[in-house]
Coordinates of all heavy atoms in Angstrom, one line a residue:
M1 N -4.1 14.5 2.4 CA -3.3 13.7 3.2 C -2.0 13.3 2.5 O -2.1 12.9 1.3 CB -4.1 12.4 3.6 CG -3.3 11.5 4.5 SD -4.2 10.0 4.9 CE -5.2 10.5 6.2
S2 N -0.9 13.3 3.1 CA 0.3 13.0 2.5 C 0.5 11.5 2.4 O -0.1 10.7 3.2 CB 1.5 13.6 3.2 OG 2.0 12.8 4.3
D3 N 1.3 11.0 1.5 CA 1.5 9.6 1.4 C 2.7 9.1 2.2 O 3.1 7.9 2.0 CB 1.8 9.2 -0.1 CG 0.5 9.3 -0.9 OD1 -0.6 9.3 -0.3 OD2 0.6 9.5 -2.1
A4 N 3.2 9.9 3.1 CA 4.3 9.5 4.0 C 3.7 8.5 5.0 O 2.7 8.8 5.7 CB 4.9 10.6 4.7
M5 N 4.3 7.3 5.1 CA 3.9 6.3 6.1 C 4.5 6.6 7.4 O 5.7 7.0 7.5 CB 4.3 4.9 5.6 CG 3.6 4.5 4.3 SD 1.9 4.4 4.5 CE 1.7 3.0 5.6
P6 N 3.7 6.3 8.5 CA 4.3 6.5 9.9 C 5.3 5.5 10.2 O 5.3 4.4 9.6 CB 3.1 6.4 10.8 CG 2.1 5.6 10.0 CD 2.4 5.9 8.6
D7 N 6.2 5.8 11.1 CA 7.3 4.8 11.5 C 6.6 3.6 12.2 O 7.1 2.5 12.2 CB 8.3 5.5 12.4 CG 9.3 4.5 12.9 OD1 10.0 3.9 12.1 OD2 9.5 4.4 14.1
R8 N 5.5 3.9 13.0 CA 4.9 2.9 13.8 C 3.4 3.0 13.6 O 2.8 4.1 13.6 CB 5.3 3.0 15.2 CG 4.9 1.9 16.1 CD 5.6 2.0 17.4 NE 5.1 1.0 18.3 CZ 5.6 0.9 19.6 NH1 6.5 1.7 20.0 NH2 5.1 -0.1 20.3
L9 N 2.7 1.9 13.4 CA 1.2 1.9 13.2 C 0.7 0.6 13.9 O 1.3 -0.5 13.9 CB 0.9 1.9 11.8 CG -0.5 2.0 11.4 CD1 -1.1 3.3 11.8 CD2 -0.7 1.8 9.9
S10 N -0.5 0.8 14.5 CA -1.2 -0.3 15.1 C -2.7 -0.4 14.7 O -3.3 0.6 14.4 CB -1.2 -0.1 16.7 OG -1.9 -1.1 17.3
V11 N -3.2 -1.6 14.7 CA -4.6 -1.8 14.3 C -5.6 -1.8 15.5 O -6.8 -1.8 15.4 CB -4.9 -3.1 13.5 CG1 -4.1 -3.0 12.2 CG2 -4.5 -4.3 14.3
N12 N -5.0 -1.7 16.7 CA -5.7 -1.7 17.9 C -6.2 -0.2 18.2 O -5.4 0.7 18.4 CB -4.9 -2.2 19.1 CG -5.6 -2.3 20.4 OD1 -6.8 -1.8 20.5 ND2 -5.0 -2.9 21.4
P13 N -7.5 0.0 18.3 CA -8.0 1.4 18.6 C -7.6 2.0 19.9 O -7.6 3.2 20.1 CB -9.5 1.2 18.5 CG -9.8 0.0 17.9 CD -8.6 -0.9 18.1
N14 N -7.2 1.1 20.9 CA -6.7 1.6 22.2 C -5.3 2.1 22.2 O -4.8 2.6 23.2 CB -6.9 0.6 23.2 CG -8.4 0.2 23.4 OD1 -9.3 1.1 23.3 ND2 -8.7 -1.0 23.7
S15 N -4.5 1.8 21.1 CA -3.1 2.1 21.0 C -2.9 3.6 20.6 O -3.7 4.2 19.9 CB -2.4 1.3 20.0 OG -1.1 1.7 19.8
E16 N -1.9 4.2 21.1 CA -1.6 5.6 20.7 C -1.1 5.7 19.3 O -1.0 6.8 18.7 CB -0.5 6.2 21.7 CG 0.8 5.5 21.6 CD 1.8 6.1 22.6 OE1 2.5 7.0 22.3 OE2 1.9 5.5 23.7
F17 N -0.7 4.6 18.7 CA -0.2 4.5 17.3 C -1.3 4.1 16.3 O -1.0 3.8 15.1 CB 1.0 3.5 17.2 CG 2.1 3.9 18.1 CD1 2.3 3.1 19.3 CD2 2.9 5.0 17.9 CE1 3.3 3.5 20.1 CE2 3.9 5.3 18.7 CZ 4.1 4.6 19.9
Y18 N -2.6 4.1 16.7 CA -3.7 3.8 15.9 C -4.0 5.0 15.0 O -4.1 6.2 15.4 CB -4.9 3.5 16.7 CG -6.2 3.1 16.0 CD1 -6.3 2.0 15.3 CD2 -7.2 4.0 16.0 CE1 -7.5 1.6 14.6 CE2 -8.4 3.7 15.3 CZ -8.5 2.5 14.6 OH -9.7 2.3 13.9
N19 N -4.3 4.8 13.7 CA -4.6 5.8 12.7 C -5.7 5.3 11.8 O -5.4 4.6 10.8 CB -3.4 6.3 11.9 CG -3.7 7.4 11.0 OD1 -4.9 7.7 10.7 ND2 -2.7 8.1 10.6
E20 N -7.0 5.6 12.1 CA -8.1 5.0 11.4 C -8.1 5.4 9.9 O -8.4 4.6 9.0 CB -9.4 5.4 12.1 CG -10.6 4.8 11.4 CD -11.9 5.1 12.1 OE1 -11.9 5.9 13.1 OE2 -12.9 4.6 11.7
A21 N -7.8 6.7 9.6 CA -7.9 7.2 8.3 C -6.9 6.4 7.4 O -7.2 6.1 6.3 CB -7.6 8.7 8.2
L22 N -5.7 6.2 7.9 CA -4.7 5.5 7.2 C -5.0 4.0 7.0 O -4.8 3.5 5.9 CB -3.3 5.6 7.9 CG -2.1 5.3 7.1 CD1 -1.9 6.1 5.9 CD2 -0.9 5.5 8.0
L23 N -5.6 3.4 8.0 CA -5.9 2.0 7.9 C -7.1 1.8 6.9 O -7.1 0.7 6.2 CB -6.3 1.4 9.2 CG -5.2 1.3 10.2 CD1 -5.7 1.0 11.6 CD2 -4.2 0.3 9.8
E24 N -8.0 2.7 6.8 CA -9.1 2.6 5.8 C -8.5 2.7 4.3 O -9.1 2.1 3.4 CB -10.1 3.8 6.0 CG -11.0 3.6 7.2 CD -11.9 4.7 7.4 OE1 -11.9 5.7 6.6 OE2 -12.7 4.6 8.3
R25 N -7.5 3.4 4.1 CA -6.8 3.5 2.8 C -6.2 2.1 2.4 O -6.0 1.8 1.2 CB -5.8 4.6 2.7 CG -6.4 6.0 2.8 CD -5.4 7.0 2.8 NE -4.8 7.1 1.5 CZ -3.8 7.9 1.1 NH1 -3.3 8.7 2.1 NH2 -3.3 7.9 -0.1
G26 N -5.8 1.4 3.4 CA -5.1 0.1 3.2 C -3.6 0.2 3.3 O -3.0 1.0 2.6
V27 N -3.0 -0.6 4.1 CA -1.6 -0.6 4.4 C -1.0 -2.0 4.1 O -1.5 -3.0 4.6 CB -1.3 -0.2 5.8 CG1 0.2 -0.2 6.1 CG2 -1.8 1.2 6.1
G28 N 0.0 -2.0 3.3 CA 0.7 -3.3 3.0 C 1.9 -3.4 3.8 O 2.6 -2.4 4.0
V29 N 2.2 -4.6 4.3 CA 3.4 -4.8 5.1 C 4.2 -6.0 4.6 O 3.6 -7.0 4.4 CB 3.1 -5.0 6.6 CG1 4.3 -5.3 7.5 CG2 2.3 -3.9 7.2
R30 N 5.5 -5.7 4.3 CA 6.3 -6.8 3.9 C 7.4 -7.0 5.0 O 8.1 -6.1 5.3 CB 7.0 -6.5 2.6 CG 7.8 -7.6 2.0 CD 8.4 -7.3 0.6 NE 7.3 -7.3 -0.4 CZ 7.0 -6.3 -1.1 NH1 7.7 -5.2 -1.1 NH2 6.0 -6.3 -2.0
F31 N 7.5 -8.3 5.5 CA 8.4 -8.6 6.5 C 9.4 -9.7 6.0 O 8.9 -10.7 5.6 CB 7.7 -9.1 7.8 CG 8.6 -9.5 8.9 CD1 9.3 -8.6 9.6 CD2 8.7 -10.8 9.3 CE1 10.1 -8.9 10.6 CE2 9.5 -11.2 10.3 CZ 10.2 -10.3 11.0
K32 N 10.7 -9.4 6.0 CA 11.7 -10.3 5.5 C 11.4 -10.7 4.1 O 11.6 -11.9 3.7 CB 11.9 -11.5 6.4 CG 12.5 -11.2 7.7 CD 12.8 -12.4 8.5 CE 13.5 -12.1 9.8 NZ 13.7 -13.3 10.6
G33 N 10.9 -9.8 3.3 CA 10.6 -10.1 1.9 C 9.3 -10.8 1.6 O 9.0 -11.1 0.5
V34 N 8.5 -11.1 2.6 CA 7.2 -11.8 2.5 C 6.1 -10.9 2.9 O 6.1 -10.3 4.0 CB 7.2 -13.1 3.3 CG1 5.8 -13.8 3.2 CG2 8.3 -14.0 2.9
E35 N 5.0 -10.7 2.1 CA 3.9 -9.8 2.4 C 3.1 -10.5 3.5 O 2.7 -11.7 3.4 CB 3.0 -9.5 1.2 CG 2.0 -8.5 1.5 CD 1.2 -8.1 0.3 OE1 1.7 -8.3 -0.8 OE2 0.2 -7.4 0.5
K36 N 2.8 -9.8 4.6 CA 2.0 -10.4 5.7 C 0.7 -9.7 5.8 O 0.5 -8.5 5.5 CB 2.8 -10.1 7.0 CG 4.1 -10.7 7.2 CD 3.9 -12.2 7.4 CE 5.3 -12.9 7.7 NZ 5.2 -14.3 7.9
T37 N -0.4 -10.5 6.1 CA -1.7 -10.0 6.2 C -2.2 -10.0 7.6 O -3.3 -9.5 7.9 CB -2.7 -10.8 5.3 OG1 -2.6 -12.2 5.7 CG2 -2.3 -10.6 3.9
N38 N -1.5 -10.6 8.6 CA -1.9 -10.8 9.9 C -1.1 -9.9 10.9 O -1.0 -10.2 12.1 CB -1.9 -12.2 10.4 CG -0.5 -12.8 10.4 OD1 0.4 -12.2 9.7 ND2 -0.2 -13.9 11.1
V39 N -0.6 -8.8 10.4 CA 0.2 -7.9 11.3 C -0.7 -7.0 12.1 O -1.6 -6.3 11.6 CB 1.1 -7.0 10.4 CG1 1.8 -6.0 11.3 CG2 2.1 -7.9 9.7
E40 N -0.5 -7.0 13.4 CA -1.3 -6.2 14.4 C -0.6 -4.8 14.6 O -1.3 -3.8 14.8 CB -1.4 -6.9 15.7 CG -2.2 -8.2 15.7 CD -3.7 -8.0 15.4 OE1 -4.2 -7.0 16.0 OE2 -4.3 -8.8 14.7
E41 N 0.7 -4.8 14.5 CA 1.5 -3.5 14.8 C 2.8 -3.7 14.1 O 3.4 -4.8 14.0 CB 1.6 -3.3 16.3 CG 2.3 -2.0 16.7 CD 2.3 -1.8 18.2 OE1 1.8 -2.6 18.9 OE2 2.7 -0.7 18.6
Y42 N 3.4 -2.6 13.7 CA 4.8 -2.6 13.1 C 5.6 -1.4 13.6 O 5.0 -0.4 13.9 CB 4.8 -2.7 11.6 CG 4.4 -1.5 10.9 CD1 5.3 -0.4 10.7 CD2 3.1 -1.3 10.4 CE1 4.9 0.8 10.1 CE2 2.7 -0.2 9.7 CZ 3.6 0.9 9.6 OH 3.3 2.0 9.0
C43 N 6.9 -1.5 13.5 CA 7.8 -0.4 13.7 C 8.9 -0.5 12.7 O 9.7 -1.5 12.8 CB 8.3 -0.3 15.1 SG 9.3 1.1 15.5
V44 N 9.0 0.4 11.8 CA 10.1 0.3 10.7 C 11.5 0.6 11.3 O 12.4 -0.1 11.0 CB 9.7 1.3 9.6 CG1 10.8 1.3 8.5 CG2 8.4 0.9 8.9
S45 N 11.6 1.6 12.1 CA 12.9 2.0 12.6 C 13.5 1.0 13.5 O 14.7 0.8 13.5 CB 12.8 3.4 13.3 OG 12.1 3.3 14.5
E46 N 12.7 0.3 14.3 CA 13.2 -0.7 15.2 C 13.3 -2.1 14.6 O 13.9 -3.0 15.1 CB 12.4 -0.7 16.5 CG 12.5 0.5 17.3 CD 11.6 0.5 18.5 OE1 11.1 -0.5 18.9 OE2 11.4 1.6 19.1
G47 N 12.6 -2.2 13.4 CA 12.6 -3.5 12.7 C 11.9 -4.6 13.3 O 12.4 -5.7 13.5
W48 N 10.6 -4.4 13.7 CA 9.8 -5.5 14.2 C 8.4 -5.4 13.8 O 7.9 -4.3 13.4 CB 9.9 -5.6 15.7 CG 9.5 -4.4 16.5 CD1 10.4 -3.4 17.0 CD2 8.2 -4.0 16.9 NE1 9.7 -2.5 17.6 CE2 8.3 -2.8 17.6 CE3 6.9 -4.5 16.7 CZ2 7.2 -2.1 18.1 CZ3 5.8 -3.8 17.2 CH2 6.0 -2.6 17.9
V49 N 7.7 -6.5 13.8 CA 6.2 -6.6 13.6 C 5.6 -7.5 14.7 O 6.3 -8.3 15.3 CB 5.8 -7.2 12.2 CG1 6.3 -6.3 11.1 CG2 6.4 -8.6 12.1
R50 N 4.4 -7.2 15.1 CA 3.6 -8.1 16.0 C 2.5 -8.7 15.1 O 1.7 -8.1 14.5 CB 2.9 -7.3 17.1 CG 3.9 -6.8 18.1 CD 3.1 -6.4 19.4 NE 4.1 -6.0 20.4 CZ 4.7 -6.9 21.2 NH1 4.4 -8.2 21.2 NH2 5.5 -6.4 22.1
V51 N 2.5 -10.0 15.1 CA 1.6 -10.8 14.3 C 0.7 -11.6 15.2 O 1.1 -12.0 16.3 CB 2.3 -11.7 13.3 CG1 3.0 -11.0 12.2 CG2 3.2 -12.7 14.0
A52 N -0.5 -11.8 14.8 CA -1.5 -12.6 15.6 C -1.1 -14.1 15.5 O -0.6 -14.6 14.5 CB -2.9 -12.4 15.0
V53 N -1.3 -14.7 16.7 CA -0.9 -16.2 16.8 C -2.2 -16.9 16.6 O -2.9 -17.2 17.6 CB -0.3 -16.5 18.1 CG1 0.1 -17.9 18.2 CG2 1.0 -15.6 18.3
G54 N -2.5 -17.3 15.4 CA -3.8 -18.1 15.1 C -5.0 -17.3 15.5 O -5.1 -16.1 15.4
K55 N -6.0 -18.0 16.0 CA -7.2 -17.4 16.4 C -7.3 -17.2 18.0 O -8.4 -16.9 18.5 CB -8.4 -18.1 15.9 CG -8.5 -18.1 14.4 CD -9.7 -18.9 13.9 CE -9.7 -19.0 12.4 NZ -10.4 -18.0 11.8
T56 N -6.2 -17.5 18.6 CA -6.2 -17.4 20.1 C -6.3 -16.0 20.6 O -5.8 -15.1 20.0 CB -4.8 -18.0 20.6 OG1 -4.6 -19.2 20.0 CG2 -4.8 -18.1 22.1
V57 N -7.2 -15.8 21.6 CA -7.4 -14.5 22.2 C -7.1 -14.6 23.7 O -7.2 -15.6 24.3 CB -8.8 -14.0 22.0 CG1 -9.1 -13.7 20.5 CG2 -9.8 -15.0 22.5
D58 N -6.8 -13.4 24.3 CA -6.6 -13.3 25.8 C -8.0 -13.2 26.5 O -9.0 -13.2 25.8 CB -5.6 -12.2 26.2 CG -6.2 -10.8 25.8 OD1 -7.3 -10.7 25.5 OD2 -5.4 -9.9 26.0
R59 N -8.0 -13.1 27.8 CA -9.2 -13.0 28.5 C -10.1 -11.7 28.2 O -11.2 -11.7 28.6 CB -9.0 -13.2 30.0 CG -8.2 -12.1 30.6 CD -7.9 -12.3 32.0 NE -6.9 -11.3 32.5 CZ -6.2 -11.5 33.6 NH1 -6.3 -12.6 34.3 NH2 -5.4 -10.5 34.0
R60 N -9.4 -10.7 27.6 CA -10.2 -9.5 27.3 C -10.6 -9.5 25.8 O -11.2 -8.5 25.3 CB -9.3 -8.3 27.5 CG -9.0 -8.1 29.0 CD -8.1 -6.9 29.2 NE -7.6 -6.9 30.6 CZ -6.5 -7.4 31.0 NH1 -5.7 -8.0 30.2 NH2 -6.1 -7.3 32.3
G61 N -10.4 -10.6 25.1 CA -10.8 -10.7 23.7 C -9.8 -10.2 22.7 O -10.1 -10.2 21.5
N62 N -8.7 -9.7 23.1 CA -7.6 -9.3 22.2 C -6.8 -10.4 21.7 O -6.6 -11.4 22.4 CB -6.7 -8.3 22.9 CG -7.4 -7.1 23.4 OD1 -8.3 -6.6 22.8 ND2 -7.1 -6.6 24.6
P63 N -6.4 -10.4 20.4 CA -5.6 -11.5 19.9 C -4.2 -11.6 20.6 O -3.6 -10.6 20.9 CB -5.5 -11.1 18.4 CG -5.7 -9.7 18.3 CD -6.6 -9.3 19.4
L64 N -3.8 -12.8 20.8 CA -2.4 -13.0 21.3 C -1.5 -12.7 20.1 O -1.7 -13.1 19.0 CB -2.2 -14.4 21.8 CG -3.0 -14.8 23.1 CD1 -2.7 -16.2 23.5 CD2 -2.6 -13.9 24.2
T65 N -0.4 -12.0 20.4 CA 0.6 -11.7 19.4 C 2.0 -12.1 19.7 O 2.3 -12.4 20.9 CB 0.6 -10.1 19.2 OG1 1.0 -9.5 20.4 CG2 -0.8 -9.6 18.7
M66 N 2.8 -12.2 18.7 CA 4.2 -12.6 18.8 C 5.0 -11.5 18.1 O 4.7 -11.1 17.0 CB 4.4 -13.9 18.2 CG 5.8 -14.4 18.3 SD 6.0 -16.2 17.8 CE 5.1 -16.3 16.3
K67 N 6.1 -11.1 18.7 CA 6.9 -10.0 18.2 C 8.1 -10.7 17.4 O 8.8 -11.5 17.9 CB 7.5 -9.1 19.3 CG 8.3 -8.0 18.8 CD 8.7 -7.1 20.0 CE 9.4 -5.9 19.6 NZ 9.8 -5.1 20.8
L68 N 8.2 -10.3 16.1 CA 9.2 -10.9 15.2 C 10.1 -9.7 14.8 O 9.6 -8.6 14.5 CB 8.6 -11.5 14.0 CG 7.5 -12.6 14.2 CD1 6.9 -13.0 12.9 CD2 8.2 -13.8 14.9
T69 N 11.4 -9.9 14.7 CA 12.4 -8.9 14.3 C 13.0 -9.2 13.0 O 13.2 -10.4 12.6 CB 13.5 -8.7 15.4 OG1 14.2 -10.0 15.5 CG2 12.9 -8.3 16.7
G70 N 13.2 -8.1 12.2 CA 13.8 -8.2 10.9 C 13.4 -7.0 10.1 O 12.7 -6.1 10.6
P71 N 13.8 -7.0 8.8 CA 13.5 -5.8 8.0 C 12.0 -5.7 7.7 O 11.4 -6.7 7.3 CB 14.3 -6.0 6.7 CG 14.6 -7.5 6.7 CD 14.6 -7.9 8.1
V72 N 11.5 -4.4 7.8 CA 10.1 -4.2 7.6 C 9.9 -3.1 6.5 O 10.6 -2.1 6.5 CB 9.4 -3.7 8.9 CG1 7.9 -3.4 8.7 CG2 9.6 -4.7 10.0
E73 N 9.0 -3.4 5.5 CA 8.7 -2.4 4.5 C 7.2 -2.2 4.5 O 6.4 -3.2 4.7 CB 9.1 -2.9 3.1 CG 10.5 -3.3 2.9 CD 10.7 -4.0 1.6 OE1 10.1 -3.5 0.5 OE2 11.4 -5.0 1.6
V74 N 6.8 -0.9 4.4 CA 5.3 -0.6 4.4 C 5.0 0.3 3.2 O 5.8 1.0 2.7 CB 4.9 0.0 5.7 CG1 5.0 -0.9 6.9 CG2 5.6 1.3 6.0
W75 N 3.7 0.2 2.7 CA 3.3 1.0 1.6 C 1.7 1.1 1.7 O 1.1 0.3 2.4 CB 3.7 0.4 0.3 CG 3.1 -0.9 0.0 CD1 1.9 -1.1 -0.8 CD2 3.5 -2.2 0.3 NE1 1.6 -2.4 -0.8 CE2 2.5 -3.1 -0.2 CE3 4.5 -2.7 1.1 CZ2 2.7 -4.5 0.0 CZ3 4.7 -4.0 1.3 CH2 3.7 -4.9 0.7
L76 N 1.2 2.1 1.0 CA -0.3 2.2 0.9 C -0.7 1.4 -0.3 O -0.1 1.4 -1.4 CB -0.6 3.7 0.6 CG -0.5 4.6 1.8 CD1 -0.8 6.0 1.4 CD2 -1.5 4.2 2.9
K77 N -1.8 0.7 -0.1 CA -2.4 -0.2 -1.2 C -3.2 0.5 -2.2 O -3.3 0.0 -3.3 CB -3.2 -1.3 -0.5 CG -2.4 -2.3 0.2 CD -3.2 -3.5 0.7 CE -2.4 -4.5 1.3 NZ -3.2 -5.7 1.7
D78 N -3.7 1.7 -1.9 CA -4.6 2.4 -2.9 C -3.8 3.2 -3.9 O -2.7 3.5 -3.9 CB -5.6 3.3 -2.2 CG -5.0 4.4 -1.4 OD1 -3.8 4.5 -1.3 OD2 -5.8 5.3 -1.0

């Protein structure tokens, strides 16, 4: 497997941007210079991340998210 990170990645298995093999290796996300651990989805080229808003969930059990814009950096943790 190459170490090239995808432009967009999601932790939701129902998303078309979900990649289980890559998530198992561990992905680090830095947003505006601060490492984030609650990122649900990111897009490097568009410069945004979706982060979980506390422990709040919608009626289907999915976490509520908020879209934040700014510079995004990603890397593999292993």
Side-chain angles (χ1 to χ4, degrees):
M1 176 183 279
S2 87
D3 287 340
M5 295 297 295
D7 178 56
R8 190 167 175 179
L9 185 65
S10 175
V11 297
N12 184 351
N14 297 326
S15 172
E16 64 184 272
F17 302 106
Y18 179 74
N19 184 338
E20 184 176 4
L22 194 58
L23 291 171
E24 285 178 359
R25 293 181 67 186
V27 176
V29 178
R30 185 174 291 122
F31 177 70
K32 291 187 177 179
V34 178
E35 187 171 346
K36 298 285 186 181
T37 58
N38 62 340
V39 174
E40 296 289 322
E41 185 175 3
Y42 73 78
C43 183
V44 176
S45 65
E46 295 177 13
W48 58 262
V49 294
R50 284 198 180 274
V51 294
V53 180
K55 295 181 185 265
T56 310
V57 294
D58 65 9
R59 63 183 173 201
R60 294 179 190 94
N62 300 320
L64 289 180
T65 61
M66 181 170 43
K67 186 176 183 179
L68 305 173
T69 58
V72 179
E73 300 172 45
V74 294
W75 68 91
L76 287 173
K77 289 187 175 182
D78 63 352

